[in-house]
Every structure is written in C-alpha cells, then in structure tokens.
Amino acid sequence: MKPQRQLPLLFIFFYFFITTTAAAAAPPQQFREAPEFYNSAECPSIENTHELICSDEAVHAAMTLDSAYIRGSMAAILSILQHSSCPQNIIFHFVASASADASHLRATILASFPYLKFEVYRFDDSSVSGLISTSIRSALDCPLNYARSYLANILPLCVRKVVYLDSDLVLVDDIAKLSETPLGEDHILAAPEYCNANFTSYFTPTFWSNPSLSLTFADRKACYFNTGVMVIDLDRWRNGDYTRKIEEWMELQKRMRIYELGSLPPFLLVFAGNIAPVDHKWNQHGLGGDNFRGLCRDLHPGPVSLLHWSGKGKPWARLDANRPCPLDALWAPYDLLKPPFSFDS
C-alpha cells in the first residue's frame, strides 16, 4: 500500500514543477515600435516637454499603468496619437503603483513610442489601501483603480485640466475635442451620463433605507456615469478638496456597507447629477460584457468616438483565446504586441 500512496504525491510534485517552470520561462510581453505622428500645420508650436507640461495649449491625458493592463495601455496610446490633429501637443501622465517596476514600465513605453512626451508618477498604495472595501469583483479592489481620485494631488499644480482614460479603450476621434468639453461655471468634471440605468442598484438597501444617506441625492438628478472617461478641472477639484470628500464616503463604507462596486460609487455619491454632459459617442462602454465573462455586446446606437471594453472580458484576452467578440476586431489594429516567434528579430 505504501508505494501506491507515494505515486500520486510524486505525480503532483512533478506536475507543479513542470507548470511552475513553464510559467517562469514564459517570455515577457514585447511590443513593436509605433509609427511617429506629427502635428498638422494649424497646431500651436510648443518646443519641449517642460513647456508642454504646463501649457494651456497642451492636451493632458492621464492613465494608470501596470503590467497586467500594459497591452491595453499601448493600444490606447496608439489610438490617441493616430487620430489626433496635434499629436505632438499631447502629454501623457501615467500613474503607476509604488510597488510596480516603474523603470520597466517607462522603458516599455519608450521602446514603442520613443518620441512620446510623458511622465510616470508613483502612486502610494498605502494612501488608499486602508479605505478599500471588498467588492463583487476582486479586480476592482486594486488600489491603482482609485488613483483617479488622487490625480489633483499627483499631477503638477500647473496642470489645470486633464482627460482621464481607462486602459481598456481606443479612440477613433481627436482627443482634443473631448478635452475641450465645456465645464460651465462650476462643474468639476464632465462625462457621458446614462440616465436610463437603474441608479438605485449601485447602492445597498442599507443606504436607501437611511434617510440621512439617501437624501444625498435629494436635490440632484443623479444619473450613472462611467468613470473610465472623464474630463476633470483639477484646479476646481483642488479648491473644493474633492479627494477628501470621496475618502469620507469610503470611510463610511468601511463602517456600514452602502455599495458593492469598488471605486465607482464614491464618485457617484460626490458628483452624480452635478457633472457637465458629454456625448455618448465618447464612451461606447460595456464592450467587455459587464460582469459576465464571454458575453458579447453590440454598440449603442449613434456615432462612435471611443470604444471601451469595460467589464470582465478584455479584447486581448479573447483574441489570444481564439474566442473574440465581433467588436474585438476593432481593437486588434491597435495591438502592438509582438508575437512570441518574433522576439528575437
């Protein structure tokens, strides 16, 4: 009986040895160099990155950057540059976790975009990790998902307005048009609103049954908006201390569960019903299938300026698995990943 009991253990040992070795030997992602894009004749002339970073003529785009989504980020960058009239006047602000290998991320960006004007900022995970409550999807609990709430603190004070973009999207229109969205006299941010969505579902019965909480929306026509595409007035954000207002709701969530969905509900609590409108064409979202893996979505009716694979399904993962959704073919032309057999070339 003794040899019969040892055989499965030996098999398990070799199984884990082989799979672990294979994972360790898997080559890192490498990306092709993208073509360089140049300003059209009517673009304002800005000499260098130092001038650009504080120039009102620049378009400021902010994105988070990490190894898990770097492939999506590279595609997003390429799409932004390719469809811009003044690509040389765009400066990218990448926010990376303090625990990430920022030098590797920077080198990866430079290898594909050696001409790109960008900065990489380190986000201190500990500043928010203690405020995060578990949500319905573990991926939503990553501290870097909350970096958008801290942009006003992370970016230089001279940066007055920024377009925040998720990494799972591509633009098919000029980002300058989105950046120029009027914010009116007092709005802090602009985003496409979706007032047909069931707004009450974003908060728990505990929230709605407590009058002191539910009255938060009493004087606001609150609608859902997706925080993956936003135009933010950083000066107004700083003056109103909106990072602290978001943190106060997160602190309350730790004491009594009032929502389920990660970093979105605090934004809704602070801003829903009080944002500048953006045409829906700038966030054709949900292409990742929301919270259902394998669910393919169609485009919303109307024109398209930005495609957003929010949800569980990411186009690169479905393409690699040979199970793409039809709209993943629209993301594929922006994919800069080198196939494994070309790594040595």
Side-chain angles (χ1 to χ4, degrees):
M1 295 297 293
K2 187 174 182 180
Q4 291 179 340
R5 293 178 62 187
Q6 287 179 335
L7 183 60
L9 291 175
L10 188 62
F11 174 80
I12 291 171
F13 169 78
F14 279 110
Y15 173 79
F16 278 105
F17 174 79
I18 291 169
T19 55
T20 303
T21 303
Q29 290 183 326
Q30 295 186 25
F31 300 91
R32 295 179 286 110
E33 183 174 337
E36 186 168 0
F37 300 93
Y38 298 93
N39 283 353
S40 58
E42 64 272 15
C43 297
S45 178
I46 305 173
E47 292 300 324
N48 53 52
T49 302
H50 179 72
E51 290 183 12
L52 190 66
I53 201 167
C54 291
S55 172
D56 289 337
E57 301 286 354
V59 172
H60 295 271
M63 303 172 67
T64 57
L65 199 62
D66 68 347
S67 57
Y69 281 85
I70 186 68
R71 188 173 170 187
S73 300
M74 301 292 274
I77 296 166
L78 176 58
S79 74
I80 292 168
L81 296 173
Q82 184 171 321
H83 295 283
S84 172
S85 297
C86 304
Q88 293 173 293
N89 290 1
I90 302 172
I91 184 162
F92 288 84
H93 303 271
F94 298 118
V95 181
S97 169
S99 59
D101 186 347
S103 61
H104 174 71
L105 294 171
R106 178 185 289 275
T108 301
I109 297 294
L110 277 173
S112 289
F113 303 98
Y115 50 81
L116 196 70
K117 298 180 177 71
F118 71 96
E119 299 287 340
V120 177
Y121 308 86
R122 297 173 69 85
F123 176 59
D124 183 6
D125 298 9
S126 64
S127 65
V128 70
S129 57
L131 296 172
I132 296 175
S133 302
T134 56
S135 60
I136 62 172
R137 282 170 52 201
S138 59
L140 299 177
D141 300 337
C142 173
L144 196 59
N145 285 339
Y146 293 79
R148 71 196 81 188
S149 302
Y150 294 86
L151 290 175
N153 302 334
I154 297 171
L155 271 57
L157 290 175
C158 65
V159 179
R160 302 174 60 187
K161 185 170 67 172
V162 69
V163 178
Y164 174 81
L165 298 169
D166 275 351
S167 298
D168 53 357
L169 53 77
V170 294
L171 274 71
V172 292
D173 203 343
D174 194 337
I175 190 175
K177 299 176 185 176
L178 179 58
S179 179
E180 292 164 1
T181 300
L183 293 173
E185 295 183 359
D186 56 1
H187 289 133
I188 312 303
L189 62 84
E193 290 184 295
Y194 301 90
C195 294
N196 292 329
N198 181 7
F199 189 80
T200 59
S201 66
Y202 291 95
F203 303 96
T204 64
T206 299
F207 175 86
W208 293 114
S209 63
N210 187 323
S212 64
L213 297 178
S214 59
L215 284 174
T216 301
F217 299 113
D219 299 322
R220 296 148 57 182
K221 185 184 177 183
C223 297
Y224 161 76
F225 65 92
N226 183 282
T227 53
V229 179
M230 298 184 290
V231 182
I232 306 173
D233 187 313
L234 296 176
D235 279 346
R236 293 177 182 177
W237 184 294
R238 296 177 183 116
N239 291 336
D241 197 13
Y242 282 92
T243 296
R244 183 59 198 158
K245 292 176 181 178
I246 288 174
E247 287 180 336
E248 287 172 352
W249 283 111
M250 294 174 67
E251 289 168 353
L252 179 61
Q253 164 77 350
K254 296 288 285 188
R255 299 196 299 270
M256 53 188 298
R257 199 162 183 85
I258 58 175
Y259 55 79
E260 304 288 353
L261 267 177
S263 62
L264 170 63
F267 261 86
L268 297 179
L269 286 160
V270 174
F271 294 111
N274 191 28
I275 68 173
V278 175
D279 193 290
H280 287 183
K281 69 180 183 178
W282 285 106
N283 197 354
Q284 287 268 355
H285 68 286
L287 304 185
D290 292 337
N291 296 317
F292 301 96
R293 190 180 301 278
L295 177 63
C296 293
R297 290 293 183 92
D298 294 325
L299 292 174
H300 310 295
V304 179
S305 291
L306 185 152
L307 300 116
H308 188 184
W309 279 263
S310 56
K312 269 192 174 182
K314 302 306 174 190
W316 55 88
R318 295 193 295 222
L319 287 164
D320 287 352
N322 291 318
R323 293 191 300 176
C325 288
L327 291 177
D328 295 344
L330 299 177
W331 181 88
Y334 302 100
D335 186 13
L336 289 172
L337 186 71
K338 286 183 179 181
F341 59 81
S342 70
F343 277 9
D344 294 331
S345 62

